[in-house]
Amino acid sequence: MSPAKKKNSDAYLRMYRQMARIRAFEDNANQLYLSAKMPGLTHMYSGQEAVAVGICEALQTTDHITSTHRGHGHCVAKGAEFKPMFCELLGKEEGYCRGKGGSMHIADQTNGNLGANAIVGGSAGIATGAALSARQLGTDAVTVCFFGDGALGQGVLYEVMNMAALWKLPIIYACENNLYGEYTKVEEMAAGALCARAQAFGIDAFEVDGQDVLAVNKLTQDLVAKCRAGQGPFFVQLNTYRYHGHHVGDINRTYYRSKEEEADWRDNRDPITNFGAWLTQEKLVSPDELDAIRDEIAKDAKAAVDYALAAPYPAISEVDMHVYAHSA
Amino acid sequence: MSPAKKKNSDAYLRMYRQMARIRAFEDNANQLYLSAKMPGLTHMYSGQEAVAVGICEALQTTDHITSTHRGHGHCVAKGAEFKPMFCELLGKEEGYCRGKGGSMHIADQTNGNLGANAIVGGSAGIATGAALSARQLGTDAVTVCFFGDGALGQGVLYEVMNMAALWKLPIIYACENNLYGEYTKVEEMAAGALCARAQAFGIDAFEVDGQDVLAVNKLTQDLVAKCRAGQGPFFVQLNTYRYHGHHVGDINRTYYRSKEEEADWRDNRDPITNFGAWLTQEKLVSPDELDAIRDEIAKDAKAAVDYALAAPYPAISEVDMHVYAHSA
Amino acid sequence: MRKITLSQAVNEAIAEEMRRDETVFLMGEDVAEAGTPFKVLSGLVEEFGTGRIIDTPISEPGFVGMAVGAAMTGSRPIVDLMFGDFLFLVMDQLCNQAAKTHYMSGGKLNVPMVLRTNLGATRRSAAQHSQSLHALVAHIPGLKVALPSSAYEAKGLMKTAIRDNNPVVIFEDKLMYQDKAEVPEDEYLIEFGKANILRQGSDVTLVATSSMVQVAVKAAEILADEGISAEVIDPRTIVPLDEETILASVRKTSRAIVIDEGHQSYGITAEIASRIAEKAFYYLDAPVLRMGAMDVPVPFSPALEDLTVPTAKGVADRARAIVRGDKANAA
Amino acid sequence: MRKITLSQAVNEAIAEEMRRDETVFLMGEDVAEAGTPFKVLSGLVEEFGTGRIIDTPISEPGFVGMAVGAAMTGSRPIVDLMFGDFLFLVMDQLCNQAAKTHYMSGGKLNVPMVLRTNLGATRRSAAQHSQSLHALVAHIPGLKVALPSSAYEAKGLMKTAIRDNNPVVIFEDKLMYQDKAEVPEDEYLIEFGKANILRQGSDVTLVATSSMVQVAVKAAEILADEGISAEVIDPRTIVPLDEETILASVRKTSRAIVIDEGHQSYGITAEIASRIAEKAFYYLDAPVLRMGAMDVPVPFSPALEDLTVPTAKGVADRARAIVRGDKANAA
Ligand SMILES: Cc1ncc(C[n+]2csc(CCOP(=O)(O)OP(=O)(O)O)c2C)c(N)n1
Ligand SMILES: Cc1ncc(C[n+]2csc(CCOP(=O)(O)OP(=O)(O)O)c2C)c(N)n1
Ligand SMILES: [Mg+2]
Ligand SMILES: [Mg+2]
């Protein structure tokens, strides 16, 4: 292989692996919930992997992301490890947030993930502030703000997009349009075209197939470079689909979407299957190698789950720790 | 005069009179402030008269408006009387709000004015709710939501425009672009084109000369008819100018806008002068008649001010009345 | 008498009022076909249609603001706020607009709206889905605040709320949706500002709200076994607050503990305790104790979360201590 | 010593900290050339430029949210919220996000930001520009809340706030901006959680916050003329609250009145009074009294507005009554 091809192929395999890791993580999380081993509930990212991975692979560790209630995928894609993630989901001390945040607040500041957020649209301000901070501090960090189509209902998003546009901040608003907000279709919640809502502020907006990791990655690389050159902000609408219910408990969902629709996305538009097929077709990897990757990931995930299940809870004395940070 | 011309001419003279009434009201309010007879402070509408009058003349008493901190003009235009208005500004019992609201909360529910609002953008929800209410109750009432260019910064406006668009509510969003929000230019506060912010939700948006009462009135008549026919909502950007400072205390303002700019608007684009000139030119009225109208209004205003100055304050027992409405 | 869940009770109350009064409508996220995530409103859209059970976008400030405007113009909206934590998003509409309109207009405009939402932790929902924020709205004049503590209470208070001519915020306890209680088939209302004495007692008064009423009742049972007689009072509404019933009880028992699931500091227990301590001062044999939730964001971890909320055992322990004249808490 | 206004004191504090620490910046509406409507920040943009003194659109939720994100990523933003009443607009960003981030992240993320705003009525600004809403934020764990009562306090508390690693809400009293006090030229900080005893006394403790500190001091002067000795305590920060200093005083005086300009019900006076009543119970000779603002939206009319806020005469009257053993307030 030529060095360039090799380099690309490394990146491709990393993206494949990262998507597979997200899927494996979610399958295990779902299992934990179904077997009543996980407290609370959680929102599965399965089906949307190409969005998080395509975007985060275009970022540096020092770049920031903000995430959502459906945040495991973003967390893995930005570089997190399975063990502290599962520990967090189970409320264990070794979790990324010492068990205090859980699925809806998982954050990983070492990799620039400023955290999931249980308020829809709640991270729009935080993300835009991180972009402002980069400008204030003179770093070249770019921020990606992930949010769902439903978050377009939150007014604060328009406030911060306006400021980002006025001040040319290095931020990408990544709108994951998975067609539903909870149990309601996007058309019933959003008048007009989604991209128009950013264009109204003079922000360049792009629509991309969120099931195509390479398309997502390519567009993001371009936009990140432009952001670093002071040409931000940008808005990207990523068309995608969540395979599971809104949350793990949303089992009977035919009243808001059909089984046919679900099957169509799973069978024909799966980002991992399709990317895997392309990789083998292009002879960048053999089907066996891909199987091996997935097997290895499955083992990793299983080991992390077992570890997390056995890991200790935080000491009860932690309950009133971390309410306030120490000041100098 | 032909009946049609007579009818038009009646309407024209009413609009002239209403604009002159607003100007007279504001001149007196300003005087009250400067002579320290008025408590608190207030925001003058002078210069923007054609907006309120052009719009409100296209409405019925049963239609609703919501107003802003700069609300005297909307109040007069929607049918309010001088005496209870001045009483309100002076905190007297005979004020529209028994002196409890004051300039920034003046309301006149008998004429469908749901009130001024001291929260920028604060009436966007109320106005849109009034439009929803009309639909729920099956009336044909239309609502006009007045707000300034500065209110485009408030996210809630986008939330309710989206719902108005989704549900085709009978509402007109009337954005009075007087070029400044307090001491800051609109370009520094708003990225992109103002109308685009409504168009993003699929709302038809119009830009009109807010100094031309006939243009404003004609457009509004059209949009009100469409709203009644179920074709709302609409957005109108009215380009206009406030002659005074942001509030009565904002005297030295050359640091944010030039005296030349102010003079240009006053001298060349005054809505009352220009409309008066057109009326006389079209021989619909003589200059003397216009002078007589203004004199009469000046007398009315003076009488109302004197009345209000002498009127009693609410009894101190009122202080804890009206916190809660009686329930059946 | 038949028993129904709190969820059914709320559903019935809304349905009855919507049948009675055409101007009542309901709006919120996923309230129609989905019947809310807690399924409390299931079936309403089938009866009343999407014209009166209205699904909204995820725009809490927007639709609460719209409810204010609708209420000012002849409608009687009920707004569904999916989690009490989202109150923070709608405070301006609720507190600057809804609460003040009647007063600011000199009594000329009314805002007859209901905001139904919920409170309560220990569901492993973490810090942004577990708060009990009723103290915030109770502090704002112009709002009424109701805290039903059972299915019976929920139905009667909801019906009264819908008929009230003021903005009413009603908090349901998320953990109680499946709890059943006797609820008459015949119509009834529960007057605002009249506390409910759930249990008579002579040694100590337990004033408890919402989710903590059951905790107080259980504590009273524990204490009864030990020969200590606790009176349990549920204020039902904290605005208006039935001070008289509470004071009368404390004048009799000479001791009081106030229990609430909101954060303790600057919360509900402070107001009620300080009124007791001031107005029943000469009757008190012991300091009035307060038991609120810990002053920490609600932690996700099950190992931590349950520590943050008062328990029946905790209440019984403290009641026992003051009844036995233990001065440990006083300096 | 030189005397400067509260307005200058705040300005100096911010300027000094911005010189000291490059990561500090300030954002808000009309903060740059205009220097805010109260002119508190005049001159800062000339020294620090529009890169660090940033004019924003009228988007309070947006820019407070941005401050949270900036604070999480190495900056130390100061946010200017023009009126305390606008807190209702930013509660989600402040209470769901800023307050909880450190805890939810298990201590890994910090939010060192300052929200400076104001409180206070009697300016004829009516119901939406006159509120004193500090009780709302004091109820939310994770926020600190400072209430300067003079130019001296304002400077010291502001500097401490900027250096604190947590979100701090600091409320200035609008009526006090032009009030002068002695302020040293040399740098000083005022520690959070340490109350200030403004006046020693033996008969009654007056605990007063912000605008009410002057009222309490005047009441103490009136009382002194009558031979009644009042101790005046300013907690300075209500979160953290210096309970010990307050309790020590009440143990000495045996009587207390708590005075605050927020609405009385479910407000600051409730928390402080109930702590005193509980923890100094055996020392009290009279009920702890509370004097907050009336539970009404602030009326515009001058004839009504002044009635809603505690006055020095009112405080003196009540203090006199309890010192003289008047049981009128107790049932
Ligand atoms: C402010 C707010 N309102 C409502 C909710 C409840 N809620 C959680 S997720 C969700 C749907 C979000 O839809 P979308 O943004 O499209 O994200 P998706 O779940 O599809 O990934 C809702 C309504 C919330 N968490 N926060
Ligand atoms: C939510 C809110 N933020 C800030 C203010 C302070 N304020 C009052 S008027 C005003 C400017 C409003 O500008 P615009 O909407 O253009 O109206 P104009 O004064 O030009 O008529 C500001 C910032 C306010 N009243 N409400
Ligand atoms: Mg979605
Ligand atoms: Mg303007």
Side-chain angles (χ1 to χ4, degrees), chain C residues 85-129:
Chain C
D85 311 68
F86 308 159
L87 269 176
F88 286 131
L89 285 160
V90 306
M91 289 298 276
D92 178 60
Q93 302 298 328
L94 199 59
C95 302
N96 273 333
Q97 310 296 347
K100 296 180 172 47
T101 294
H102 186 68
Y103 191 85
M104 291 193 308
S105 70
K108 292 183 185 160
L109 292 163
N110 287 350
V111 186
M113 65 180 269
V114 177
L115 193 140
R116 72 170 283 266
T117 189
N118 50 40
L119 58 69
T122 67
R123 292 178 70 248
R124 319 302 177 225
S125 302
Q128 293 174 342
H129 276 60

Short mmCIF file of all heavy atoms in Angstrom, two decimals, chain C residues 85-129:
data_model
loop_
_atom_site.label_atom_id
_atom_site.label_comp_id
_atom_site.label_asym_id
_atom_site.label_seq_id
_atom_site.Cartn_x
_atom_site.Cartn_y
_atom_site.Cartn_z
N ASP C 85 -37.87 19.77 36.83
CA ASP C 85 -36.57 20.41 36.61
C ASP C 85 -36.62 21.45 35.49
O ASP C 85 -35.78 22.34 35.44
CB ASP C 85 -35.53 19.36 36.24
CG ASP C 85 -35.56 18.17 37.19
OD1 ASP C 85 -36.55 17.42 37.18
OD2 ASP C 85 -34.59 18.00 37.94
N PHE C 86 -37.59 21.29 34.59
CA PHE C 86 -37.68 22.21 33.46
C PHE C 86 -38.33 23.54 33.87
O PHE C 86 -38.40 24.47 33.06
CB PHE C 86 -38.42 21.59 32.28
CG PHE C 86 -37.91 20.24 31.84
CD1 PHE C 86 -38.71 19.38 31.11
CD2 PHE C 86 -36.63 19.83 32.17
CE1 PHE C 86 -38.25 18.13 30.72
CE2 PHE C 86 -36.15 18.57 31.78
CZ PHE C 86 -36.97 17.72 31.05
N LEU C 87 -38.77 23.62 35.12
CA LEU C 87 -39.27 24.89 35.63
C LEU C 87 -38.26 26.00 35.42
O LEU C 87 -38.62 27.15 35.17
CB LEU C 87 -39.55 24.79 37.13
CG LEU C 87 -40.96 24.37 37.53
CD1 LEU C 87 -41.02 24.22 39.03
CD2 LEU C 87 -42.00 25.38 37.04
N PHE C 88 -36.97 25.65 35.56
CA PHE C 88 -35.94 26.68 35.39
C PHE C 88 -36.04 27.35 34.02
O PHE C 88 -35.64 28.49 33.85
CB PHE C 88 -34.56 26.06 35.56
CG PHE C 88 -34.20 25.73 36.98
CD1 PHE C 88 -33.70 24.48 37.32
CD2 PHE C 88 -34.34 26.67 37.99
CE1 PHE C 88 -33.34 24.17 38.62
CE2 PHE C 88 -33.98 26.36 39.30
CZ PHE C 88 -33.48 25.12 39.62
N LEU C 89 -36.54 26.61 33.04
CA LEU C 89 -36.66 27.16 31.69
C LEU C 89 -37.83 28.12 31.55
O LEU C 89 -37.86 28.94 30.64
CB LEU C 89 -36.86 26.02 30.68
CG LEU C 89 -35.64 25.19 30.35
CD1 LEU C 89 -36.05 23.85 29.76
CD2 LEU C 89 -34.76 25.93 29.36
N VAL C 90 -38.80 27.99 32.41
CA VAL C 90 -40.05 28.75 32.20
C VAL C 90 -40.29 29.78 33.28
O VAL C 90 -41.38 30.35 33.38
CB VAL C 90 -41.27 27.79 32.09
CG1 VAL C 90 -41.02 26.75 31.01
CG2 VAL C 90 -41.58 27.12 33.42
N MET C 91 -39.28 30.02 34.09
CA MET C 91 -39.47 30.93 35.22
C MET C 91 -39.88 32.32 34.77
O MET C 91 -40.71 32.97 35.39
CB MET C 91 -38.20 31.00 36.06
CG MET C 91 -37.91 29.74 36.85
SD MET C 91 -39.18 29.33 38.08
CE MET C 91 -38.62 30.36 39.45
N ASP C 92 -39.31 32.81 33.68
CA ASP C 92 -39.68 34.16 33.25
C ASP C 92 -41.16 34.21 32.90
O ASP C 92 -41.88 35.12 33.32
CB ASP C 92 -38.83 34.60 32.06
CG ASP C 92 -39.24 35.98 31.57
OD1 ASP C 92 -39.15 36.93 32.37
OD2 ASP C 92 -39.68 36.12 30.43
N GLN C 93 -41.61 33.27 32.12
CA GLN C 93 -43.01 33.27 31.71
C GLN C 93 -43.92 33.12 32.93
O GLN C 93 -44.99 33.72 33.01
CB GLN C 93 -43.27 32.13 30.72
CG GLN C 93 -42.38 32.18 29.48
CD GLN C 93 -42.60 33.43 28.64
OE1 GLN C 93 -43.71 33.96 28.58
NE2 GLN C 93 -41.55 33.92 27.99
N LEU C 94 -43.49 32.30 33.84
CA LEU C 94 -44.33 32.01 35.00
C LEU C 94 -44.28 33.13 36.02
O LEU C 94 -45.30 33.57 36.55
CB LEU C 94 -43.82 30.70 35.62
CG LEU C 94 -44.74 29.95 36.54
CD1 LEU C 94 -46.03 29.55 35.84
CD2 LEU C 94 -44.03 28.69 37.04
N CYS C 95 -43.08 33.59 36.32
CA CYS C 95 -42.91 34.49 37.47
C CYS C 95 -42.93 35.96 37.07
O CYS C 95 -43.43 36.79 37.82
CB CYS C 95 -41.62 34.15 38.20
SG CYS C 95 -41.58 32.44 38.77
N ASN C 96 -42.37 36.31 35.91
CA ASN C 96 -42.43 37.71 35.49
C ASN C 96 -43.76 38.01 34.79
O ASN C 96 -44.24 39.14 34.84
CB ASN C 96 -41.28 38.07 34.54
CG ASN C 96 -40.03 38.52 35.29
OD1 ASN C 96 -40.12 39.04 36.41
ND2 ASN C 96 -38.87 38.32 34.69
N GLN C 97 -44.32 37.02 34.11
CA GLN C 97 -45.55 37.29 33.36
C GLN C 97 -46.79 36.76 34.11
O GLN C 97 -47.55 37.54 34.68
CB GLN C 97 -45.47 36.68 31.95
CG GLN C 97 -44.19 37.02 31.18
CD GLN C 97 -44.02 38.52 30.85
OE1 GLN C 97 -44.94 39.30 30.99
NE2 GLN C 97 -42.81 38.92 30.45
N ALA C 98 -46.97 35.47 34.13
CA ALA C 98 -48.22 34.92 34.69
C ALA C 98 -48.51 35.43 36.10
O ALA C 98 -49.62 35.87 36.40
CB ALA C 98 -48.15 33.39 34.69
N ALA C 99 -47.51 35.39 36.96
CA ALA C 99 -47.74 35.72 38.36
C ALA C 99 -48.12 37.18 38.57
O ALA C 99 -48.82 37.51 39.52
CB ALA C 99 -46.47 35.40 39.18
N LYS C 100 -47.65 38.07 37.72
CA LYS C 100 -47.77 39.49 37.99
C LYS C 100 -48.87 40.19 37.19
O LYS C 100 -49.22 41.33 37.48
CB LYS C 100 -46.43 40.18 37.69
CG LYS C 100 -45.30 39.73 38.59
CD LYS C 100 -44.01 40.42 38.27
CE LYS C 100 -42.90 40.15 39.27
NZ LYS C 100 -42.70 38.75 39.66
N THR C 101 -49.40 39.52 36.19
CA THR C 101 -50.33 40.19 35.28
C THR C 101 -51.57 40.72 35.99
O THR C 101 -52.00 41.85 35.75
CB THR C 101 -50.73 39.22 34.14
OG1 THR C 101 -49.56 38.95 33.37
CG2 THR C 101 -51.80 39.83 33.25
N HIS C 102 -52.15 39.93 36.86
CA HIS C 102 -53.37 40.39 37.53
C HIS C 102 -53.09 41.64 38.35
O HIS C 102 -53.80 42.63 38.28
CB HIS C 102 -53.93 39.27 38.41
CG HIS C 102 -55.26 39.60 39.01
ND1 HIS C 102 -56.40 39.74 38.26
CD2 HIS C 102 -55.64 39.84 40.29
CE1 HIS C 102 -57.42 40.04 39.05
NE2 HIS C 102 -56.98 40.12 40.29
N TYR C 103 -52.01 41.60 39.08
CA TYR C 103 -51.65 42.74 39.94
C TYR C 103 -51.27 43.96 39.10
O TYR C 103 -51.77 45.06 39.32
CB TYR C 103 -50.50 42.34 40.85
CG TYR C 103 -50.21 43.34 41.96
CD1 TYR C 103 -50.90 43.30 43.16
CD2 TYR C 103 -49.21 44.30 41.81
CE1 TYR C 103 -50.63 44.19 44.18
CE2 TYR C 103 -48.92 45.20 42.82
CZ TYR C 103 -49.63 45.15 44.01
OH TYR C 103 -49.35 46.03 45.02
N MET C 104 -50.38 43.75 38.15
CA MET C 104 -49.89 44.88 37.35
C MET C 104 -51.01 45.54 36.55
O MET C 104 -50.90 46.72 36.21
CB MET C 104 -48.81 44.41 36.36
CG MET C 104 -47.52 43.99 37.04
SD MET C 104 -46.12 43.78 35.86
CE MET C 104 -46.81 42.69 34.63
N SER C 105 -52.04 44.79 36.24
CA SER C 105 -53.14 45.38 35.47
C SER C 105 -54.20 45.96 36.41
O SER C 105 -55.29 46.30 35.96
CB SER C 105 -53.77 44.33 34.55
OG SER C 105 -54.46 43.36 35.32
N GLY C 106 -53.89 46.05 37.66
CA GLY C 106 -54.86 46.58 38.61
C GLY C 106 -56.10 45.69 38.72
O GLY C 106 -57.21 46.18 38.93
N GLY C 107 -55.90 44.40 38.54
CA GLY C 107 -57.02 43.47 38.69
C GLY C 107 -57.85 43.29 37.43
O GLY C 107 -58.90 42.64 37.47
N LYS C 108 -57.38 43.84 36.33
CA LYS C 108 -58.22 43.80 35.13
C LYS C 108 -57.97 42.60 34.22
O LYS C 108 -58.83 42.22 33.45
CB LYS C 108 -58.08 45.11 34.36
CG LYS C 108 -58.71 46.24 35.17
CD LYS C 108 -58.67 47.56 34.47
CE LYS C 108 -59.21 48.65 35.40
NZ LYS C 108 -58.78 49.99 34.97
N LEU C 109 -56.80 42.04 34.29
CA LEU C 109 -56.52 40.85 33.48
C LEU C 109 -56.32 39.65 34.42
O LEU C 109 -55.72 39.79 35.48
CB LEU C 109 -55.25 41.06 32.64
CG LEU C 109 -55.34 42.10 31.51
CD1 LEU C 109 -53.95 42.53 31.04
CD2 LEU C 109 -56.13 41.54 30.32
N ASN C 110 -56.86 38.51 34.01
CA ASN C 110 -56.69 37.28 34.81
C ASN C 110 -55.84 36.28 34.05
O ASN C 110 -55.83 36.29 32.82
CB ASN C 110 -58.05 36.62 35.04
CG ASN C 110 -58.90 37.37 36.03
OD1 ASN C 110 -58.42 38.28 36.69
ND2 ASN C 110 -60.16 36.99 36.12
N VAL C 111 -55.20 35.42 34.77
CA VAL C 111 -54.40 34.36 34.13
C VAL C 111 -54.77 33.00 34.72
O VAL C 111 -54.02 32.41 35.51
CB VAL C 111 -52.89 34.62 34.29
CG1 VAL C 111 -52.08 33.60 33.49
CG2 VAL C 111 -52.53 36.03 33.81
N PRO C 112 -55.93 32.49 34.33
CA PRO C 112 -56.38 31.20 34.89
C PRO C 112 -55.73 30.03 34.18
O PRO C 112 -56.30 29.46 33.27
CB PRO C 112 -57.89 31.23 34.64
CG PRO C 112 -58.04 32.06 33.38
CD PRO C 112 -56.93 33.07 33.41
N MET C 113 -54.53 29.70 34.59
CA MET C 113 -53.84 28.58 33.96
C MET C 113 -53.30 27.62 35.01
O MET C 113 -53.09 27.99 36.16
CB MET C 113 -52.69 29.07 33.07
CG MET C 113 -51.57 29.74 33.82
SD MET C 113 -50.23 30.32 32.72
CE MET C 113 -49.15 28.88 32.72
N VAL C 114 -53.11 26.40 34.60
CA VAL C 114 -52.52 25.39 35.49
C VAL C 114 -51.24 24.89 34.85
O VAL C 114 -51.22 24.57 33.66
CB VAL C 114 -53.47 24.18 35.67
CG1 VAL C 114 -52.82 23.11 36.53
CG2 VAL C 114 -54.79 24.64 36.28
N LEU C 115 -50.19 24.87 35.63
CA LEU C 115 -48.98 24.23 35.16
C LEU C 115 -48.83 22.96 35.97
O LEU C 115 -48.63 23.01 37.19
CB LEU C 115 -47.78 25.16 35.35
CG LEU C 115 -46.53 24.70 34.62
CD1 LEU C 115 -45.82 25.90 34.02
CD2 LEU C 115 -45.59 23.97 35.53
N ARG C 116 -49.02 21.82 35.30
CA ARG C 116 -48.83 20.57 36.06
C ARG C 116 -47.44 20.02 35.77
O ARG C 116 -46.99 19.94 34.62
CB ARG C 116 -49.93 19.53 35.78
CG ARG C 116 -49.94 18.86 34.46
CD ARG C 116 -50.94 17.68 34.44
NE ARG C 116 -50.38 16.53 35.13
CZ ARG C 116 -49.71 15.54 34.52
NH1 ARG C 116 -49.56 15.53 33.22
NH2 ARG C 116 -49.20 14.54 35.20
N THR C 117 -46.75 19.71 36.85
CA THR C 117 -45.42 19.14 36.69
C THR C 117 -45.18 18.19 37.86
O THR C 117 -46.15 17.76 38.51
CB THR C 117 -44.36 20.27 36.56
OG1 THR C 117 -43.12 19.66 36.20
CG2 THR C 117 -44.20 21.08 37.83
N ASN C 118 -43.93 17.85 38.13
CA ASN C 118 -43.70 16.83 39.15
C ASN C 118 -42.44 17.13 39.94
O ASN C 118 -41.71 18.08 39.67
CB ASN C 118 -43.63 15.45 38.49
CG ASN C 118 -42.67 15.44 37.31
OD1 ASN C 118 -41.61 16.05 37.36
ND2 ASN C 118 -43.05 14.79 36.23
N LEU C 119 -42.22 16.32 40.94
CA LEU C 119 -41.05 16.45 41.80
C LEU C 119 -40.62 15.05 42.24
O LEU C 119 -41.31 14.07 41.96
CB LEU C 119 -41.36 17.35 43.00
CG LEU C 119 -42.51 16.97 43.94
CD1 LEU C 119 -42.24 15.72 44.79
CD2 LEU C 119 -42.78 18.12 44.91
N GLY C 120 -39.50 14.98 42.93
CA GLY C 120 -39.12 13.73 43.55
C GLY C 120 -37.88 13.07 42.99
O GLY C 120 -37.68 13.04 41.78
N ALA C 121 -37.06 12.57 43.91
CA ALA C 121 -35.82 11.89 43.53
C ALA C 121 -35.95 10.38 43.77
O ALA C 121 -37.05 9.86 43.82
CB ALA C 121 -34.65 12.47 44.32
N THR C 122 -34.81 9.74 43.89
CA THR C 122 -34.66 8.28 44.10
C THR C 122 -35.16 7.45 42.93
O THR C 122 -35.50 6.29 43.10
CB THR C 122 -35.31 7.79 45.43
OG1 THR C 122 -36.73 7.93 45.36
CG2 THR C 122 -34.76 8.56 46.61
N ARG C 123 -35.18 8.04 41.75
CA ARG C 123 -35.51 7.25 40.55
C ARG C 123 -34.27 7.03 39.70
O ARG C 123 -34.36 6.59 38.56
CB ARG C 123 -36.59 7.95 39.72
CG ARG C 123 -37.95 8.00 40.38
CD ARG C 123 -38.96 8.74 39.52
NE ARG C 123 -39.32 8.02 38.32
CZ ARG C 123 -39.01 8.40 37.07
NH1 ARG C 123 -38.31 9.49 36.87
NH2 ARG C 123 -39.38 7.70 36.04
N ARG C 124 -33.09 7.36 40.21
CA ARG C 124 -31.83 7.19 39.46
C ARG C 124 -31.87 7.98 38.16
O ARG C 124 -31.45 7.51 37.10
CB ARG C 124 -31.58 5.70 39.12
CG ARG C 124 -31.89 4.72 40.23
CD ARG C 124 -31.12 4.99 41.48
NE ARG C 124 -31.50 4.07 42.54
CZ ARG C 124 -31.72 4.46 43.78
NH1 ARG C 124 -31.61 5.72 44.16
NH2 ARG C 124 -32.02 3.57 44.71
N SER C 125 -32.41 9.19 38.26
CA SER C 125 -32.52 10.01 37.05
C SER C 125 -31.52 11.15 37.06
O SER C 125 -31.51 11.98 36.16
CB SER C 125 -33.94 10.57 36.93
OG SER C 125 -34.87 9.52 36.90
N ALA C 126 -30.73 11.23 38.10
CA ALA C 126 -29.64 12.19 38.21
C ALA C 126 -30.11 13.64 38.35
O ALA C 126 -31.31 13.91 38.46
CB ALA C 126 -28.64 12.04 37.08
N ALA C 127 -29.14 14.53 38.35
CA ALA C 127 -29.36 15.88 38.91
C ALA C 127 -30.34 16.75 38.14
O ALA C 127 -30.92 17.67 38.72
CB ALA C 127 -28.01 16.60 39.01
N GLN C 128 -30.54 16.48 36.86
CA GLN C 128 -31.43 17.35 36.08
C GLN C 128 -32.82 16.77 35.86
O GLN C 128 -33.64 17.34 35.12
CB GLN C 128 -30.79 17.68 34.72
CG GLN C 128 -29.53 18.54 34.84
CD GLN C 128 -28.83 18.74 33.50
OE1 GLN C 128 -29.07 18.00 32.55
NE2 GLN C 128 -27.96 19.74 33.43
N HIS C 129 -33.10 15.63 36.49
CA HIS C 129 -34.44 15.04 36.34
C HIS C 129 -34.98 14.57 37.69
O HIS C 129 -35.81 13.66 37.74
CB HIS C 129 -34.42 13.86 35.37
CG HIS C 129 -34.52 14.25 33.93
ND1 HIS C 129 -33.60 15.06 33.31
CD2 HIS C 129 -35.46 13.98 32.97
CE1 HIS C 129 -33.96 15.23 32.03
NE2 HIS C 129 -35.07 14.60 31.82
#
